[in-house]
Every structure is written in C-alpha cells, then in structure tokens.
Amino acid sequence: MSTNAGSVYAGDEINAIVLDPGTYTTRIGYSGDDFPKTMVPSVYAKDDDGQIHFDSSVDYAKSNRELLPILKDSLIEDWDGAVAQYRHYFDNVLKVDYDEQPILITEPVWGSKEYRQKLIETLYEEFKFPALYLAKAPSCVSFQQGRSTCLVVDVGHCSVSVTPVVDGICLLRNSMKTHYAGQFLNDQIRDTLQTHYSKLDLSPIYKVKCKTAVEYPSTADFVARDLPDSITASYDSFQQRKIFTEAKELLLETPDKRLNSSNPQQQPTLKEELQTEENERTMEVPSGQVFCTCLERYAWADSLFDPASYPFTDAPLAEKYPPCSGELSLTPYDDYRPIKRARKGEAGQATPTPAPDSSEGVKIRGLSQLVNHAISTIDIDLRTAIASTIIVTGGSSMIPQLNDRLNAELSAANPALKIKIHASGTSLERTTQVWMGGSVLASLGTFQQMWVSKAEYEEAGVDRILTQRFR
C-alpha cells in the first residue's frame, strides 16, 4: 500500500484543518492554534422554502423555521446538514485551500465501522481534501495534557464516556458510556421546575419584549414580543433549552456525599446541613420571575452520581433515559496485549487490585461507578498508572466540587490505589480540550507521515485504511 502522504506533507509548515464535531457544539480551526477559530451549535435552521442558515440566524424567529440537529450521541446523523454546515465554515470563515490543507477530524470510540466509512467517503468526495486523519477523541485529550497513558472521563452534553488510553491508543474493550450527562441534567432541572415550580413562566427570551423582575410565586410581568405565526416546536424547544442550560451553569453544586444514602439516619442529617439560607441561590428566568432554590440544586448535581435515585415524574422525559449500565458493544481492534510476566518474588510487590465492583449486573451506573468499573477491568499492569492519571474533561464537568466528589468516592472504593484527578481550570479549555489535542497532534512534525492521502484512499480502499491506518 502506498504511503506517500508523508512525503507530501512532511514538515511543520502544513496548516491543517481540525474539525471536532460534538452533539452540543462543533469546533473548527487551524492546527497549531491554541483555540478553535469558530465554535458553533451543532444545529441548522431550515425554512419552508428549503433554504438553510447557520451562525446567528438560528436564533431568528421565522414562520415554519425548523431547527434540526446534525449529530446525535456525538455521531453525525444528518449528513446533508453536516456537509452544508462544514462547507459554510470551511469556505466563508476559514477560507480553506482544499488542494493544500489536509483535515484531522475527531471521533468518539463508539462509532461503527459503517459510520467511519461514511465519514471518510464524505470528507474525500464532498470536500476534495488532499489527505485526512481520524483521531479518537480520548487520544486527543491525552495529547493535549501531555499524558500518553491516562483514563479520560468526558462529561459531555449527551453522554459520559470513560476511556483508558495507553501510549496514545484507546482501549476499546475497557471503554464505557452512559447518557447521564449534560442533557440529563437539563431534563432533571426541567422536570423539577415543572413539578415544584408550577407557576414559573418558562417562556424563552425570544418571546419577551420587556419585563419587570418579580419574586416567584408572583405572576410574571412582561410584554410579549410580536412574533410571526407558525413558530415550530423545534425552534421553541431549542430556545427554551437555553433556560435549563443557564440554570445548570449558574446553580448546580455537587454535594460531598449521596443525598439519598442507604443509611436512613445519615440521610436527614445531610439534607438538613444543606438546607440553609447560605446555600440558597436565585435565578431570573427570561419572563422576569426570580425563583430561589437550595436543596434542589444539590440534588440536580447528585443525580449525575446517583441517577437511579432521581426518577423523572414526566413520562416523556423518563422514556428518554432507559436504564444504562455503560457497557459498550464494540468490536475492538487488537489494541493492547498484556506482556506475560514472571511470577513476582517475595521482594516484589504486585500491583494492587481494586475493590470488586459491587454493582455487578447493575442496570444503572452513576459517574463514580462508571469510572470505578472501568478501572477494575483494566489489566493489572496498567491500573496503577491509569488510576493516578484520570483526566476529567467536557463542559458538564465544570459543576463545582464534582472533581472532589469523584476523587473521594474513587479513593474510598480503591484504597490500595493512588487516585489522582487532573482537570483544566477554565471552562473554555474544558469544552475545547478534544479540539486542542487534535491541534497539537496535527502540528507535530513526527505526525505528518500519518496523513492518509486521497491517492492512498483510492488505491487501497476505505476498508483497508480503517483497519490499518485509523485505529
């Protein structure tokens, strides 16, 4: 098989394009840059005449305008919409030279073979890039942090994933994923507000012309904006989602322990400690009502660690989240084979074994259980290195005290292992960490031989490229 990509793209001067598509936002920019050039919602607006719009146009209210998602579960679902959006930013924002600039695109570890084939074919046939590379998102995070062996815990919008990375290679056999993530928290907030704050007017901001702030439960006092007829449900839902996202970012705080403890004596005491005036927080919704919350904001964050204790009262919301243990049905590559080692002598000391997973056969795993189970499945030679290098990333991981709670629960479950959690301090870096890792990777001089040229794609075929070049 031809490997002429290295001869064409050897050197650090290649200004590659880095594309990091996510369910909530998509990040696009140049390799070598610190941050992406553009970060946009992974949706597009489609009018009844067939015209599509991006950028700020998605927030403009118009009759029969549908807002359509491009990705689901971090995988492209609307290929026509994806091509249109990427072409818009490639041509109008980045001014891509398709003859000279290769592209690195990130992907989750749970993408099927058929999906990856479709992705490669689309990039080559629709955009005419001269070369490309598919990079696993956890591997990109490990490169961004400068830690080739680590455990990447990505708390994103639609999923929480846990992936061991060894020497830059993702261990698919030990990877896990659940849907108890950012969107789950949004729906927990929605469910609570609709149930316990029934007089709260959750009108999105596009419906409000002007308002007067009032304390809940007083009726909202605002002047409605004149709007066109036939506002679609998809547009209204997209705008209302901003309310719950803002509440998630402003109000949530992780409690030190589970609020729904199995110890009946401990449970009331912990809730009483949190139910104080100093823990109260307020938020003003777009309609002008100001509501106060205390214990609820801790419960919302606690649901990330203990989702089984927070069932939805709204039936449609409950149907969105069937029980999930995090097990992935993947066809792994031969990614890692443990070396057969001699029996350790008396002077040697074996790598400590984590506590057995008491949730064997469990249907629902929270964040700590998910990470702990992943650690317990890793080869014994790697556990110590993995446990001491846990990287937490993703926008939904910015909840205050989340890392402290995760560290405490993992340390309690694995007393023989040294647990150490690493996380970037800024929200911008936490949400763009995968892209930043791709930017670092694509700008390395030693990486340039990894590009797969279009000539190689046409010569070898997409199936052979996937099995031999993109692991």
Side-chain angles (χ1 to χ4, degrees):
M1 180 168 54
S2 171
T3 55
N4 59 355
S7 61
V8 177
Y9 299 103
D12 294 330
E13 72 279 358
I14 296 302
N15 200 12
I17 303 299
V18 179
L19 171 63
D20 176 29
T23 306
Y24 189 68
T25 57
T26 293
R27 297 152 288 274
I28 312 172
Y30 300 110
S31 65
D33 287 357
D34 292 335
F35 294 101
K37 188 78 171 176
T38 183
M39 186 164 65
V40 295
S42 298
V43 299
Y44 66 98
K46 186 174 184 179
D47 297 337
D48 50 4
D49 61 0
Q51 290 190 354
I52 58 178
H53 306 272
F54 309 102
D55 299 315
S56 58
S57 299
V58 300
D59 287 320
Y60 181 74
K62 188 176 180 181
S63 296
N64 299 314
R65 168 166 285 181
E66 296 282 356
L67 258 62
L68 304 174
I70 295 175
L71 292 95
K72 182 179 179 181
D73 203 18
S74 299
L75 302 174
I76 298 174
E77 191 175 51
D78 186 339
W79 289 96
D80 292 336
V83 169
Q85 185 185 56
Y86 302 158
R87 190 181 302 281
H88 169 76
Y89 290 103
F90 289 162
D91 295 348
N92 301 327
V93 179
L94 275 69
K95 311 292 184 183
V96 173
D97 183 351
Y98 293 105
D99 293 329
E100 298 292 335
Q101 294 178 285
I103 183 171
L104 181 146
I105 181 169
T106 66
E107 58 168 350
V109 297
W110 54 86
S112 66
K113 179 181 178 182
E114 293 74 22
Y115 170 81
R116 304 177 81 213
Q117 288 178 338
K118 175 82 170 176
L119 182 60
I120 294 173
E121 290 169 352
T122 300
L123 288 170
Y124 273 133
E125 303 302 330
E126 295 288 344
F127 297 104
K128 313 298 182 184
F129 280 106
L132 60 75
Y133 189 82
L134 298 187
K136 292 283 193 296
S139 296
C140 291
V141 174
S142 72
F143 276 102
Q144 192 273 339
Q145 287 282 299
R147 303 176 186 275
S148 59
T149 297
C150 60
L151 184 71
V152 177
V153 181
D154 191 344
V155 189
H157 178 68
C158 65
S159 64
V160 172
S161 62
V162 181
T163 309
V165 180
V166 177
D167 294 333
I169 298 176
C170 297
L171 305 189
L172 304 189
R173 293 182 181 87
N174 310 101
S175 299
M176 307 192 75
K177 175 180 75 75
T178 67
H179 47 221
Y180 307 119
Q183 181 61 52
F184 174 76
L185 294 177
N186 282 7
D187 289 334
Q188 284 283 345
I189 295 170
R190 177 201 293 267
D191 193 52
T192 302
L193 294 183
Q194 291 176 345
T195 304
H196 301 293
Y197 296 81
S198 56
K199 295 182 180 179
L200 193 65
D201 191 326
L202 296 174
S203 298
I205 195 169
Y206 80 94
K207 293 183 177 180
V208 179
K209 182 178 181 181
C210 59
K211 61 184 178 182
T212 301
V214 296
E215 286 191 21
Y216 180 85
S218 299
T219 305
D221 182 11
F222 70 94
V223 177
R225 191 186 301 272
D226 292 332
L227 294 170
D229 297 330
S230 305
I231 296 294
T232 62
S234 63
Y235 178 85
D236 187 74
S237 175
F238 177 80
Q239 297 296 334
Q240 193 179 58
R241 185 180 74 178
K242 297 179 181 180
I243 301 175
F244 309 121
T245 300
E246 183 180 4
K248 177 178 63 180
E249 295 172 351
L250 289 179
L251 302 177
L252 268 62
E253 186 172 343
T254 309
D256 295 336
K257 301 176 182 178
R258 291 177 57 179
L259 295 184
N260 297 290
S261 173
S262 56
N263 186 345
Q265 295 180 342
Q266 183 184 11
Q267 183 176 336
T269 305
L270 182 58
K271 291 185 176 180
E272 287 173 4
E273 291 176 356
L274 297 176
Q275 193 77 39
T276 60
E277 186 175 343
E278 65 179 13
N279 288 328
E280 292 180 353
R281 298 290 185 273
T282 60
M283 174 180 163
E284 181 180 337
V285 294
S287 63
Q289 289 176 296
V290 180
F291 72 95
C292 179
T293 179
C294 186
L295 187 61
E296 294 93 343
R297 70 189 190 92
Y298 289 99
W300 292 331
D302 190 46
S303 67
L304 203 63
F305 290 84
D306 186 21
S309 297
Y310 298 92
F312 290 98
T313 57
D314 184 77
L317 289 180
E319 292 175 1
K320 286 177 62 178
Y321 301 98
C324 181
S325 66
E327 305 286 350
L328 286 174
S329 299
L330 298 175
T331 304
Y333 305 108
D334 190 14
D335 43 20
Y336 173 78
R337 287 183 178 179
I339 300 174
K340 289 186 177 180
R341 55 199 181 280
R343 189 179 299 275
K344 295 182 182 292
E346 294 181 0
Q349 198 170 21
T351 305
T353 302
D357 189 359
S358 59
S359 58
E360 199 66 38
V362 75
K363 293 184 178 180
I364 298 177
R365 282 194 178 97
L367 180 59
S368 298
Q369 288 177 308
L370 198 69
V371 178
N372 187 57
H373 185 72
I375 293 175
S376 70
T377 64
I378 296 171
D379 184 79
I380 193 171
D381 286 337
L382 300 173
R383 284 179 193 160
T384 301
I386 290 289
S388 63
T389 318
I390 300 175
I391 301 175
V392 178
T393 186
S396 297
S397 68
M398 291 299 297
I399 300 172
Q401 313 307 321
L402 182 144
N403 290 338
D404 295 339
R405 166 82 173 267
L406 181 61
N407 183 76
E409 294 191 351
L410 291 178
S411 298
N414 304 281
L417 289 174
K418 182 181 179 181
I419 302 294
K420 191 171 183 180
I421 291 179
H422 307 262
S424 300
T426 65
S427 59
L428 179 60
E429 189 170 346
R430 198 84 68 90
T431 54
T432 60
Q433 210 159 8
V434 174
W435 184 93
M436 293 165 65
S439 174
V440 170
L441 190 61
S443 62
L444 295 175
T446 53
F447 173 79
Q448 305 311 315
Q449 61 184 341
M450 302 297 292
W451 293 113
V452 175
S453 68
K454 188 170 184 180
E456 184 177 347
Y457 158 74
E458 292 173 344
E459 176 187 336
V462 65
D463 186 64
R464 192 173 177 189
I465 286 175
L466 278 178
T467 55
Q468 297 188 8
R469 300 299 299 275
F470 300 142
R471 292 180 50 181

